[in-house]
Amino acid sequence: MKELPARRLLLVHAHPDDESINNGVTMARYAAEGVHVTLVTCTLGERGEVIPPELRHLTGAELGAHRLRELTAAMAELGVDDFRLLGGVGRYGDSGMMGLTDNDDPACFWQADLDEAAASLVEVILEVRPQVLVTYDDNGGYGHPDHIQAHRVALRAAELAEGVDERAGWRIPKVYFNRVPRSVAEAAFARLQEELPELPFTASAVVSDVPGVVDDDRVTAEIDGREGAGAYAAAKAAAMRAHATQVEVAPGERYFALSNDLAQPLFATEYYELVRGEPAQSRETDLFAGLSGVSRIAGTEGVA
């Protein structure tokens, strides 16, 4: 078994661009600190709506291939070398928004057999042996079928990886869901309303459009990417800009819009809810906090 860095982080996302919007600061920070950061993306987002007029001819597999190139560029901005497509490139197709006939396509991720898809992720878990897993909540953050399925696959894979056998199994000690504290979202949108006339967007989104907004007391960790913390927010904005078919970042890198042209905040601090692991007395500023060694199945050797 190859030697790995002491700290290993696994993120599971639905489409290219989700990782940069939700976790760009976190990925940039930990990559810079020498953590082994692994991103698993479940689809290529072939049904995404394209923003730039000059790229709107891209559809289906051609759009998927382009979005993979965008993902590669985004990972270069974040300093992440280990990024993969679940089951290999093109294994699972984009399912489209909830309620569309696209959801019925047998090749889409929403229709994937849960244990079969999870088995592909188990292979990654056993290879990388992450101590921290980040993914969406059971609503996928905002109800998209691919996000919900990514949540299901991530948690099922974590469960299956523990029971492979007593020699090869792996237990992930800490699991987090992506979150945004309600007070932070409301304050950010209040500022957005004041600054909207200066932005290149037609109107503003609303707090309920932001995935994973919860009451503040449910948030257990935050990763600050502002200037004093290493300017990881700048890397996040650059990664989001690399996803040009899906994201438009406004000058100043404080706001962005998706294909609906509705402005929303670009969060320079990212937030999480611990759903597996020992809770701290106060809000964590390190997702690896409290891990003194590697959690493992009896008989499995590893590095701390």
Side-chain angles (χ1 to χ4, degrees):
M1 184 176 290
K2 67 179 181 180
E3 185 175 351
L4 291 166
R7 296 182 295 167
R8 282 99 54 194
L9 169 64
L10 171 64
L11 304 100
V12 178
H13 276 289
H15 316 104
D17 81 21
D18 293 326
E19 81 298 322
S20 297
I21 295 170
N22 286 278
N23 309 117
V25 161
T26 302
M27 297 173 74
R29 168 189 162 174
Y30 284 120
E33 291 181 0
V35 173
H36 187 97
V37 178
T38 301
L39 169 67
V40 175
T41 305
C42 298
T43 82
L44 287 171
E46 303 93 335
R47 300 187 189 277
E49 296 180 351
V50 176
I51 295 174
E54 67 274 16
L55 295 176
R56 288 178 188 164
H57 64 281
L58 296 172
T59 59
E62 190 178 9
L63 175 58
H66 187 89
R67 293 191 70 178
L68 179 55
R69 291 192 290 273
E70 291 182 336
L71 178 62
T72 300
M75 292 303 95
E77 297 289 355
L78 299 179
V80 173
D81 298 323
D82 186 4
F83 55 99
R84 316 167 186 213
L85 274 295
L86 183 69
V89 176
R91 175 63 183 85
Y92 297 108
D94 187 343
S95 306
M97 299 300 290
M98 185 67 83
L100 299 180
T101 57
D102 299 333
N103 304 163
D104 300 324
D105 185 344
C108 79
F109 188 47
W110 184 238
Q111 294 296 329
D113 179 84
L114 179 60
D115 281 357
E116 178 183 299
S120 294
L121 186 57
V122 168
E123 294 179 6
V124 179
I125 292 172
L126 297 181
E127 174 191 340
V128 175
R129 297 175 291 150
Q131 296 112 330
V132 177
L133 167 65
V134 171
T135 190
Y136 315 106
D137 64 14
D138 59 1
N139 190 45
Y142 71 110
H144 192 293
D146 287 333
H147 287 240
I148 295 171
Q149 188 77 318
H151 159 86
R152 294 172 178 171
V153 168
L155 295 196
R156 180 59 174 153
E159 177 186 10
L160 291 174
E162 292 186 41
V164 173
D165 63 51
E166 66 178 17
R167 291 185 307 103
W170 185 259
R171 185 176 195 277
I172 303 174
K174 300 184 80 175
V175 178
Y176 291 92
F177 291 161
N178 293 302
R179 293 300 190 196
V180 178
R182 192 171 306 281
S183 67
V184 170
E186 290 174 348
F189 274 96
R191 289 192 299 271
L192 170 56
Q193 292 302 319
E194 295 176 359
E195 300 178 24
L196 186 60
E198 307 301 321
L199 298 177
F201 306 123
T202 58
S204 170
V206 295
V207 170
S208 60
D209 292 325
V210 177
V213 174
V214 293
D215 292 342
D216 290 30
D217 60 3
R218 291 183 58 180
V219 174
T220 62
E222 63 180 60
I223 304 297
D224 189 345
R226 292 170 296 183
E227 197 69 32
Y232 300 123
K236 172 176 179 167
M240 289 173 61
R241 195 176 288 111
H243 289 290
T245 59
Q246 308 299 305
V247 181
E248 181 180 356
V249 178
E253 301 181 344
R254 296 181 62 189
Y255 302 104
F256 73 99
L258 303 174
S259 60
N260 57 15
D261 202 34
L262 298 178
Q264 56 181 294
L266 192 162
F267 292 107
T269 299
E270 295 168 348
Y271 301 89
Y272 301 92
E273 179 183 3
L274 182 70
V275 296
R276 173 193 278 185
E278 289 296 323
Q281 295 299 311
S282 58
R283 191 177 287 183
E284 299 171 321
T285 57
D286 178 8
L287 301 186
F288 293 87
L291 294 177
S292 58
V294 172
S295 180
R296 57 187 175 84
I297 303 300
T300 303
E301 306 229 340
V303 293

